[in-house]
């Protein structure tokens, strides 16, 4: 979302490279580590990793886990040693297996002005990657302010997650930089005396290492029951894991059998019949007689299909009134994934959103991979107006679609753009909305539109239309016009 200038590795980081690989001191973390998660031993330094299936079979929390490691100062200003460190991180070390990384901090309203870089060791080969940038500007993906989800007390600030694949070693550096660093890096302007001071890093920085576990439908060992809505003291009993799975599947019962791993695609005639059934009692006589503008229902992989652990999310569902708009995003999690890995990638993002960031569920309503496959996101029913946490200020009366990957400099695949069009043609059609049209949404407050402002938007908009951000990336944003036209044609317009 925001480009960063390349910077050299400092003397301190160079020294860190020479440090021996040692497992992290997990007992020193400020946040409690669940017993089942803590029971998983870290590998010995420099030990080649075993195959994923073998090592998971030997680990008690094989269905997924999160390692949360507090960052340490990497540099200190000798003149003011008590001042917050401008660079924090972790020296190179061996850790338990993980596939996705991110950095979180205490205050969800605080921003991380600077650069986050990580390098990881590939399990099985022991090869270390080069330094990779982690997208720091992620506050624009969130529940709206003044909502129960935002006010739960669990929400934390966070970077975007980065998919790195099966890894067992990590090194991290987080460097504070002023917003003017890019302009100043070419050299001081004539007459300039001082560079802008770098802002302090947010407090409570932690590295989150997410292991998605196996796609076997098992619950994770660290939390067997869904959280009660509103938190532990809300007075709402949590569902059992079995009940949560049944609950998540039952809301799609009009579209697929209970327990289905995929909602099958339909032809136009079948979709029109389904449209009338889903809207029974809600249509006027004129609407009943008219031919509906709705695209054929695409195939959708359900939460059960990608292996969602329903014990992670908060119990129950939250809905908005209708779906008037679709906001398109990219996950900024990198493009180094195979389509066969997507269930693991989505389980990782889900766990990161819930366990690391403190959300009630995964933030997006739908996700699409680069092969064009569509996945159910936040629980509540794919045909229903589920309230998400995807576009800060505009989550009401909208849906969020995330294309997995980073599309600032990389073109999205034709299959992914086509899938956006097919999904929106169907879902917007259920609510009698024209994908090529305009709509008006009331802002709940963003850095682009003040709270209460009535904003005129394209029905299919990019995230940047509701919030000042680079999301969904320049290359994907440039394809939204094509997606609108295709979606309208799928609806028969």
């Amino acid at each position: 979302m925001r480009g960063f200038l390349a910077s050299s590795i400092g003397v301190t980081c160079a020294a860190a490279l020479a440090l021996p690989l040692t497992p992290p001191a997990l007992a020193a973390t400020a946040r409690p580590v669940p017993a089942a998660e803590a029971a998983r031993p870290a590998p010995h330094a420099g030990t080649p990793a075993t195959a994923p299936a073998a090592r998971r079979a030997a680990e008690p929390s094989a269905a997924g886990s999160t390692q949360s490691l507090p960052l340490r100062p990497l540099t200190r200003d000798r003149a003011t040693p008590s001042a917050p460190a401008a660079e924090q991180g972790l020296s190179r070390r061996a850790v338990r297996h993980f596939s996705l990384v991110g950095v979180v901090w205490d205050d969800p309203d605080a921003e991380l002005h600077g650069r986050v870089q990580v390098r990881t060791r590939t399990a099985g080969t022991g090869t270390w990657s080069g330094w990779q940038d982690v997208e720091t500007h992620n506050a624009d993906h969130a529940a709206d302010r003044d909502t129960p989800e935002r006010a739960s007390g669990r929400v934390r600030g966070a970077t975007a997650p980065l998919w790195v694949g099966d890894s067992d070693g990590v090194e991290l550096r987080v460097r504070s930089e002023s917003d003017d660093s890019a302009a100043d890096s070419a050299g001081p302007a004539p007459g300039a005396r001082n560079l802008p001071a770098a802002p302090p890093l947010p407090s409570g920085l932690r590295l989150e290492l997410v292991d998605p576990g196996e796609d076997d439908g098992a619950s994770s060992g660290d939390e067997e029951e869904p959280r009660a809505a509103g938190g532990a003291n809300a007075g709402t009993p949590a569902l059992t894991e079995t009940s949560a799975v049944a609950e998540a599947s039952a809301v799609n019962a009009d579209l697929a059998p209970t327990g289905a791993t995929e909602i099958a695609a339909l032809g136009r005639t079948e979709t029109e019949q389904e449209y009338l059934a889903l809207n029974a009692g809600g249509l006027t006589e004129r609407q009943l007689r008219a031919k509906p503008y709705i695209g054929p229902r695409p195939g959708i992989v359900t939460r059960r299909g990608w292996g969602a652990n329903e014990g992670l999310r908060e119990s129950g569902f939250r809905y908005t009134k209708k779906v008037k708009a679709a906001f398109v995003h990219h996950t900024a999690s990198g493009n180094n994934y195979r389509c066969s890995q997507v269930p693991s990638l989505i389980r990782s993002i889900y766990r990161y959103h819930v366990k690391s960031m403190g959300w009630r569920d995964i933030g997006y309503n739908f996700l699409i991979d680069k092969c064009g496959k569509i996945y159910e996101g936040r629980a509540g029913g794919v045909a229903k107006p589920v309230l998400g946490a995807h576009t800060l200020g505009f989550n009401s009366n909208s849906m969020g679609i995330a294309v997995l990957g980073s599309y600032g400099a990389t073109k999205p695949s034709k299959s992914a753009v086509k899938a956006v069009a097919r999904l929106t043609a169907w879902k917007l059609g259920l609510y009698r909305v024209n994908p090529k049209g305009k709509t008006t949404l009331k802002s709940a407050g963003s850095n682009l539109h003040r709270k209460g402002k009535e904003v005129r938007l394209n029905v299919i908009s990019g995230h940047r239309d509701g919030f000042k951000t680079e999301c969904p990336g320049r290359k994907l944003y440039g394809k939204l016009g094509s997606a609108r036209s295709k979606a309208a044609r799928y609806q028969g317009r």
Side-chain angles (χ1 to χ4, degrees):
M1 299 182 204
R2 187 183 77 168
F4 294 97
L5 295 174
S7 60
S8 62
I9 301 175
V11 174
T12 303
C13 291
L17 288 173
L19 292 175
L21 293 176
T22 54
L26 297 180
T29 58
R31 194 184 311 157
V33 178
E37 196 168 303
R40 295 179 58 187
H44 292 296
T47 302
T50 58
R55 58 97 177 167
R56 289 189 197 281
E59 295 172 354
S61 186
S65 65
T66 302
Q67 300 170 70
S68 185
L69 311 178
L71 271 55
R72 301 290 185 238
L74 296 181
T75 59
R76 284 286 189 189
D77 187 340
R78 293 184 178 181
T80 55
S82 61
E87 187 172 14
Q88 297 184 34
L90 293 172
S91 59
R92 189 169 62 165
R93 63 190 61 202
V95 293
R96 298 192 302 267
H97 286 246
F98 66 96
S99 296
L100 180 140
V101 305
V103 173
V104 301
W105 53 91
D106 295 338
D107 184 359
D109 293 319
E111 293 188 40
L112 195 164
H113 295 281
R115 191 175 192 182
V116 176
Q117 293 181 302
V118 66
R119 59 195 304 257
T120 56
R121 186 177 65 182
T122 303
T125 68
T127 303
W128 283 89
S129 72
W131 288 103
Q132 300 182 76
D133 283 310
V134 179
E135 175 53 61
T136 60
H137 294 272
N138 194 47
D140 42 345
H141 302 80
D144 292 337
R145 295 183 177 91
D146 302 324
T147 61
E149 182 170 5
R150 179 75 175 194
S152 68
R154 296 186 300 267
V155 179
R156 289 180 284 275
T159 66
L162 178 68
W163 175 259
V164 295
D166 192 20
S167 304
D168 61 6
V170 69
E171 182 178 5
L172 177 79
R173 61 190 185 195
V174 179
R175 182 177 301 153
S176 175
E177 294 179 356
S178 69
D179 291 335
D180 296 325
S181 293
D184 294 326
S185 63
R193 294 185 178 179
N194 298 308
L195 294 177
L201 292 171
S203 62
L205 288 169
R206 306 179 72 90
L207 174 64
E208 304 287 291
L209 303 175
V210 180
D211 176 0
E214 292 295 300
D215 186 8
D216 57 7
S219 63
S220 78
D222 64 348
E223 187 167 357
E224 296 181 356
E225 295 184 352
R227 296 195 312 261
N233 299 319
T236 303
L239 299 175
T240 64
E241 169 68 11
T242 302
S243 298
V245 171
E247 176 192 53
S249 183
V251 287
N252 289 318
D254 291 335
L255 311 181
T258 300
T261 58
E262 185 167 359
I263 297 170
L266 294 181
R268 183 172 297 280
T269 300
E270 294 171 304
T271 301
E272 290 174 355
Q273 293 172 347
E274 178 187 77
Y275 165 83
L276 294 175
L278 292 174
N279 286 280
L283 300 175
T284 65
E285 286 296 325
R286 182 178 179 180
Q287 289 171 332
L288 286 169
R289 290 194 301 269
K291 185 177 179 64
Y293 290 110
I294 184 169
R297 187 182 79 193
I300 303 171
V301 178
T302 65
R303 289 171 64 90
R304 186 177 181 89
W306 54 260
N309 172 13
E310 301 297 348
L312 292 182
R313 66 174 174 85
E314 192 174 278
S315 62
F317 311 119
R318 299 289 180 270
Y319 298 100
T320 185
K321 293 181 180 179
K322 62 185 75 172
V323 177
K324 297 172 61 179
F327 285 99
V328 178
H329 305 255
H330 67 172
T331 56
S333 51
N335 302 313
N336 296 323
Y337 69 88
R338 301 187 302 273
C339 291
S340 61
Q341 295 176 310
V342 168
S344 293
L345 173 54
I346 296 176
R347 290 198 304 276
S348 297
I349 294 173
Y350 170 44
R351 176 173 278 274
Y352 185 68
H353 281 183
V354 175
K355 300 291 287 183
S356 300
M357 298 179 67
W359 294 358
R360 74 183 316 273
D361 196 350
I362 193 169
Y364 307 111
N365 298 105
F366 297 93
L367 302 100
I368 294 173
D369 68 25
K370 56 189 173 185
C371 292
K373 186 168 285 189
I374 302 168
Y375 299 81
E376 178 183 14
R378 181 164 286 208
V382 297
K384 300 179 185 295
V386 179
L387 179 66
H390 48 82
T391 308
L392 181 62
F394 293 95
N395 290 306
S396 293
N397 297 327
S398 72
M399 67 175 178
I401 302 169
V403 181
L404 293 162
S406 302
Y407 299 102
T410 301
K411 290 182 179 179
S413 68
K414 292 181 179 178
S415 297
V417 175
K418 181 179 179 181
V420 170
R422 292 174 62 222
L423 175 59
T424 52
W426 171 70
K427 184 66 181 275
L428 292 171
L430 290 175
Y431 294 88
R432 299 173 290 282
V433 176
N434 183 350
K436 289 187 69 175
K438 300 278 188 178
T439 191
T440 300
L441 296 177
K442 180 182 286 188
S443 173
S446 76
N447 65 358
L448 195 59
H449 303 288
R450 61 173 174 77
K451 183 177 181 180
K453 180 181 179 181
E454 298 284 344
V455 182
R456 192 72 170 164
L457 295 163
N458 287 312
V459 166
I460 299 179
S461 284
H463 187 182
R464 63 174 63 181
D465 295 317
F467 197 100
K468 188 177 180 181
T469 174
E470 293 299 314
C471 185
R474 180 172 57 88
K475 295 291 188 178
L476 178 55
Y477 188 79
K479 295 294 184 180
L480 295 188
S482 174
R484 295 181 192 108
S485 298
K486 284 185 172 70
R489 287 199 298 271
Y490 289 143
Q491 285 191 347
R493 295 183 186 272

